């Protein structure tokens, strides 16, 4: 039970419908079930418990990003998936498991980085790089994702992008964490310079 935190009585949660609990977790009662998500909207941090929940879709009220409240998957790629947490009821009380496993996080951010590259979404690329570095994924692994993507899509303008990515990766040993994040972001997002406004179909 080390990672489990109480969200209060089931009865009061059913009446409240949405609340924020310890750890900044938004808890929702919707169509007979409980859901828990990181309460900060992954787009720009708006509190999700103030959003609306309809047919399993949680909508943030700032820029209207939509999320599947069960999986956390976003319907709007310019936002990002929101982390979700396991819930359970015990003796009339609702409990939320605050733990997200590190391996889940790494895999999630790798997939998001691929999505950001495929759809040319700078914000998603930036967030994925930050997430991967914070999850202690070696920079070489992040660069490898970019190189694999770049070599597959050379015809779309990744030739110069690969050169920039290589130059940025050479500078990494001299940089601190913040500098490494910036260099990786620059290296991974430069293909847009040669293919402005384009989208790749994969
Ligand atoms: S902060 Fe939620 S959609 Fe922008």
């Amino acid at each position: 039970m080390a990672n489990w935190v109480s969200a209060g009585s089931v009865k009061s949660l059913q009446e409240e419908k949405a609340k924020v609990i310890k750890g900044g977790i938004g808890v929702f009662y919707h169509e007979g079930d409980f859901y828990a998500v990181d309460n900060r909207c992954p787009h720009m941090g708006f509190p999700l418990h103030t959003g609306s929940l309809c047919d399993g879709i949680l909508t943030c009220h700032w820029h209207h990003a939509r999320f599947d409240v069960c999986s956390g998957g976003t319907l709007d790629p310019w936002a990002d998936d929101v982390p979700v947490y396991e819930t359970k009821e015990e003796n009339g009380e609702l409990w939320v498991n605050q733990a997200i496993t590190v391996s889940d996080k790494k895999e999630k951010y790798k997939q998001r980085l691929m999505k950001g590259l495929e759809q040319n979404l700078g914000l998603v690329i930036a967030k994925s790089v930050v997430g991967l570095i914070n999850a202690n994924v070696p920079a070489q692994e992040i660069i490898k994702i970019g190189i694999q993507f770049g070599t597959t899509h050379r015809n779309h303008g990744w030739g110069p992008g690969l050169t920039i990515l290589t130059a940025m990766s050479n500078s990494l040993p001299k940089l601190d964490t913040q500098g490494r994040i910036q260099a990786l972001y620059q290296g991974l997002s430069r293909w847009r310079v040669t293919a402005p406004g384009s989208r790749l179909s994969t």
Side-chain angles (χ1 to χ4, degrees):
M1 290 287 283
N3 294 315
W4 291 86
V5 60
S6 172
S9 86
V10 165
K11 196 164 181 304
S12 63
L13 282 164
Q14 285 169 335
E15 287 162 7
E16 276 182 276
K17 304 277 192 251
K19 73 182 275 193
V20 188
I21 64 163
K22 192 176 161 197
I25 295 174
V27 179
F28 300 84
Y29 178 67
H30 177 60
E31 295 181 347
D33 283 312
F34 289 102
Y35 303 92
V37 307
D38 186 332
N39 201 46
R40 293 161 302 178
C41 176
H43 181 228
M44 293 181 82
F46 201 71
L48 287 174
H49 77 288
T50 62
S52 51
L53 189 47
C54 182
D55 295 332
I57 302 299
L58 175 61
T59 303
C60 175
H61 278 190
W62 194 357
H63 309 100
H64 308 291
R66 295 159 302 166
F67 309 93
D68 169 25
V69 75
C70 184
S71 68
T74 185
L75 277 64
D76 299 292
W78 46 266
D80 202 347
D81 295 342
V82 65
V84 294
Y85 303 92
E86 191 183 358
T87 63
K88 69 175 178 185
E89 294 177 39
E90 228 172 60
N91 302 324
E93 194 166 355
L94 189 81
W95 293 84
V96 177
N97 186 353
Q98 291 182 297
I100 303 179
T101 64
V102 174
S103 60
D104 284 352
K105 270 196 207 172
K106 287 180 184 172
E107 203 41 49
K108 180 196 146 198
Y109 285 124
K110 283 181 184 176
Q111 286 170 8
R112 287 299 289 162
L113 177 54
M114 279 305 294
K115 189 74 77 184
L117 292 169
E118 287 165 9
Q119 298 188 10
N120 188 17
L121 295 167
L123 186 59
V124 173
I125 294 170
K127 286 180 179 177
S128 304
V129 169
V130 172
L132 286 165
I133 290 289
N134 287 341
N136 294 321
V137 173
Q140 291 310 321
E141 253 185 70
I142 302 170
I143 291 165
K144 201 169 147 193
I145 294 170
I147 288 174
Q148 279 171 347
F149 181 84
T151 48
T152 308
H153 297 285
R154 253 174 195 278
N155 293 341
H156 295 273
W158 248 88
L162 281 173
T163 307
I164 295 167
L165 181 57
T166 306
M168 289 296 164
S169 64
N170 288 339
S171 69
L172 294 178
K174 302 187 187 103
L175 301 173
D176 60 12
T177 302
Q178 199 58 36
R180 288 208 310 278
I181 288 171
Q182 285 174 359
L184 285 166
Y185 169 71
Q186 290 300 329
L188 289 164
S189 59
R190 295 309 283 198
W191 74 274
R192 289 183 293 163
V193 172
T194 55
S198 67
R199 300 272 163 134
L200 300 178
S201 56
T202 54

